[in-house]
C-alpha cells in the first residue's frame, strides 16, 4: 500500500486560507465591522472580544487535531491503541469552556443591561419608526409645523454628534430595524412599542439600513438609508420640510407633473408632499423627494430613469408591490416623465 501523501490536503488548506484572506478584503455597506456610533462601537468591542476568544479556541483545537492526525496517521506495522475514558481530560474540557463562557457573558450581560436603560438626553432627536409592508415611515416628534410631527419615509436624516432615540412600531407584521454601522437590530412588532438604545452617530455619511425579519415577499427589498448630516444641513432640511413648496413655474413639465400627481392620476390620495395639497397617508411620504438618493424603499438609486421605471410599474422592480391599475396603463410616457420632473424638483431651496 502506498504511503498516504500530505501534499493534497496541504494545498487545499493553503487555497482555503487564500480565499479567506481575499474575502476579508471585501467591503460591504452593511458591515458591523465599521462602527460609526457609540452604540455600534460597544457592539463592535464585544464582537472583537468574542472573535479573539473563538479564534484562540479554534486555533488550539484545530492545531491539536492537525498535530494528532499527522503524528498518529496510519503507518505500516502500527496498530491503533484503544482507550476508555480519561477523567482528567473530561474535567479539563468541561471547566475550560465554562470559564471562557463566563468571561464572555459578564460584559455581554452588562452591555445588555445598560443598553436597555440608557437615558434619553433632553436634546435628543426623537423619532418613531413605523414598518409597513415593505417600507419604513419616520416621524420626528415636535420638528414639524407648529411643533407637531414631521414625517418622512425610507431616508432618515439625523445630525452628527446628537443623540437619537427611536421608538419602533409596525403597522402590519413583524419587521426588524437594523443599521449595521449605527444601531440595531431590534424587532418592530404590531401593537407593541420597542425602544432602540439611544445612540450618537459620530461621522457624517449615508448608512444602509435593512429590514432584518422575514416579513413577506419583498422582505429583502425593504431597505432604507440614514443620512448623518452636519447640524447646519440637518436644520436646513427640517426647515425646508416645514416650508410651503413653491409652485413650479406654469407650463413647465414640473407644473404639469404637479397637476397629474394631485388631480389626473390621484397620487395625492395615497402620498403626502408637505406644503402642497397632497396629503394621503397610505403610501410613503414624498416630501422633498428630490433630496432622496434612493427610490422603492432603498433598493434603487434615485436616477430619473429608475424613478420613471418605479412610477410606471413598481411591481416589476419589487415583486409584491401592487398598484392597480398600473400607471404604465393609465398615464402616457410624457405624463410619467412630467411626474418624475415634479418629484425630482422637490428640493431643499
Ligand atoms: Cu420588513 Cu422584512
Amino acid at each position: 500500500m502506498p504511503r498516504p501523501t500530505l501534499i493534497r490536503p496541504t494545498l487545499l488548506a493553503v487555497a482555503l486560507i487564500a480565499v479567506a484572506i481575499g474575502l476579508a478584503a471585501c467591503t460591504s455597506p452593511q458591515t458591523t465591522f465599521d462602527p460609526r456610533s457609540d452604540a455600534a462601537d460597544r457592539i463592535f468591542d464585544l464582537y472583537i472580544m468574542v472573535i479573539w476568544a473563538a479564534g484562540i479556541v479554534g486555533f488550539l483545537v484545530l492545531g491539536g487535531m492537525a498535530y494528532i492526525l499527522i503524528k498518529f496517521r496510519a503507518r505500516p506495522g502500527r496498530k491503533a491503541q484503544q482507550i476508555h475514558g480519561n477523567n482528567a481530560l473530561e474535567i479539563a474540557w468541561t471547566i475550560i469552556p465554562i470559564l471562557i463562557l463566563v468571561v464572555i457573558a459578564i460584559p455581554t450581560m452588562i452591555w445588555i443591561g445598560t443598553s436597555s436603560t440608557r437615558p434619553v438626553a433632553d436634546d435628543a432627536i426623537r423619532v418613531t419608526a413605523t414598518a409597513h409592508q415593505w417600507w419604513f415611515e419616520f416621524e420626528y416628534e415636535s420638528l414639524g409645523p407648529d411643533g407637531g410631527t414631521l414625517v418622512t419615509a425610507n431616508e432618515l436624516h439625523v445630525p452628527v454628534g446628537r443623540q437619537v432615540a427611536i421608538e419602533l412600531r409596525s403597522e402590519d407584521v413583524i419587521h426588524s430595524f437594523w443599521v449595521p454601522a449605527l444601531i440595531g437590530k431590534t424587532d418592530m412588532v404590531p401593537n407593541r412599542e420597542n425602544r432602540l438604545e439611544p445612540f450618537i452617530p459620530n461621522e457624517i455619511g449615508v448608512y444602509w439600513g435593512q429590514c432584518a425579519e422575514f416579513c413577506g415577499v419583498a422582505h429583502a427589498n425593504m431597505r432604507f438609508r440614514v443620512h448623518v448630516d452636519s447640524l447646519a444641513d440637518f436644520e436646513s432640511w427640517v426647515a425646508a420640510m416645514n416650508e410651503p413648496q413653491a409652485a413650479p413655474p406654469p407650463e413647465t413639465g414640473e407644473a404639469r407633473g404637479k397637476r397629474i400627481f394631485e388631480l389626473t392620476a390621484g397620487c395625492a390620495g395615497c402620498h403626502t408632499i408637505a406644503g402642497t395639497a397632497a396629503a394621503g397617508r397610505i403610501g410613503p411620504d414624498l416630501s422633498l423627494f428630490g433630496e432622496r438618493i434612493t427610490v422603492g424603499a432603498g433598493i434603487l438609486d434615485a436616477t430619473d430613469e429608475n424613478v420613471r421605471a418605479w412610477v410606471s410599474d413598481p411591481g416589476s422592480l419589487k415583486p409584491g408591490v401592487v398598484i392597480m391599475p398600473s400607471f404604465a396603463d393609465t398615464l402616457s410616457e410624457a405624463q410619467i416623465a412630467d411626474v418624475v420632473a415634479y418629484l425630482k424638483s422637490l428640493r431643499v431651496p
Side-chain angles (χ1 to χ4, degrees):
M1 201 177 98
R3 225 181 118 149
T5 167
L6 285 175
I7 292 171
R8 289 235 323 248
T10 312
L11 276 178
L12 184 65
V14 169
L16 283 175
I17 289 168
V19 169
I21 291 171
L23 286 177
C26 293
T27 55
S28 150
Q30 305 210 91
T31 176
T32 39
F33 285 98
D34 195 8
R36 301 296 169 86
S37 80
D38 60 338
D41 277 338
R42 286 190 288 273
I43 295 175
F44 180 72
D45 290 345
L46 210 55
Y47 216 39
I48 291 300
M49 192 189 84
V50 173
I51 284 176
W52 269 110
I56 292 168
V57 169
F59 182 80
L60 291 178
V61 170
L62 294 176
M65 225 164 95
Y67 171 78
I68 289 166
L69 285 174
I70 293 166
K71 180 154 168 77
F72 301 106
R73 68 186 184 278
R75 277 184 214 156
R78 258 170 78 161
K79 211 174 159 230
Q81 186 197 341
Q82 304 293 338
I83 59 161
H84 187 80
N86 182 321
N87 282 342
L89 259 183
E90 299 272 354
I91 290 168
W93 70 44
T94 304
I95 288 183
I96 293 171
I98 289 175
L99 289 178
I100 294 171
L101 289 180
V102 167
V103 167
I104 291 173
I106 290 172
T108 308
M109 300 309 272
I110 292 174
W111 185 86
I112 290 173
T114 52
S115 71
S116 57
T117 55
R118 196 172 301 282
V120 177
D122 288 340
D123 69 344
I125 303 291
R126 290 169 187 265
V127 178
T128 301
T130 305
H132 301 255
Q133 279 173 316
W134 292 273
W135 57 282
F136 290 88
E137 181 170 30
F138 302 113
E139 292 168 276
Y140 297 78
E141 197 179 283
S142 71
L143 290 184
D146 305 318
T149 315
L150 186 153
V151 185
T152 190
N154 299 325
E155 293 192 22
L156 179 70
H157 286 256
V158 294
V160 69
R162 270 275 276 287
Q163 196 190 59
V164 183
I166 303 182
E167 301 271 356
L168 303 174
R169 292 187 196 154
S170 170
E171 196 61 27
D172 35 50
V173 299
I174 301 177
H175 303 262
S176 188
F177 185 98
W178 191 32
V179 190
L182 300 176
I183 191 73
K185 71 184 65 146
T186 304
D187 280 1
M188 309 171 90
V189 183
N191 297 317
R192 183 193 155 89
E193 228 168 68
N194 274 345
R195 181 175 161 273
L196 269 181
E197 175 192 10
F199 65 98
I200 304 175
N202 56 28
E203 198 173 309
I204 290 172
V206 179
Y207 303 102
W208 288 49
Q210 167 78 50
C211 177
E213 177 72 39
F214 182 71
C215 55
V217 63
H219 156 69
N221 288 327
M222 184 172 165
R223 301 177 206 159
F224 61 107
R225 298 286 189 280
V226 179
H227 296 251
V228 175
D229 298 329
S230 69
L231 186 59
D233 283 352
F234 177 72
E235 283 174 346
S236 48
W237 180 79
V238 170
M241 288 289 281
N242 280 305
E243 263 162 32
Q245 278 287 325
E251 291 327 306
T252 55
E254 289 149 31
R256 287 194 303 273
K258 185 171 195 280
R259 284 197 299 275
I260 296 164
F261 190 92
E262 291 176 359
L263 303 167
T264 322
C267 312
C270 293
H271 296 283
T272 290
I273 293 176
T276 74
R281 288 301 304 272
I282 296 165
D285 185 292
L286 300 176
S287 308
L288 292 189
F289 181 84
E291 296 292 332
R292 305 251 174 103
I293 58 170
T294 64
V295 63
I299 61 167
L300 293 167
D301 290 337
T303 59
D304 286 6
E305 209 164 298
N306 285 343
V307 175
R308 197 179 313 128
W310 180 262
V311 172
S312 307
D313 186 11
S316 68
L317 301 166
K318 187 167 169 177
V321 175
V322 182
I323 291 176
M324 295 287 284
S326 158
F327 290 124
D329 299 331
T330 57
L331 296 179
S332 69
E333 294 232 338
Q335 285 178 309
I336 289 174
D338 287 343
V339 170
V340 173
Y342 169 55
L343 291 174
K344 297 292 278 183
S345 75
L346 301 167
R347 306 288 310 262
V348 173

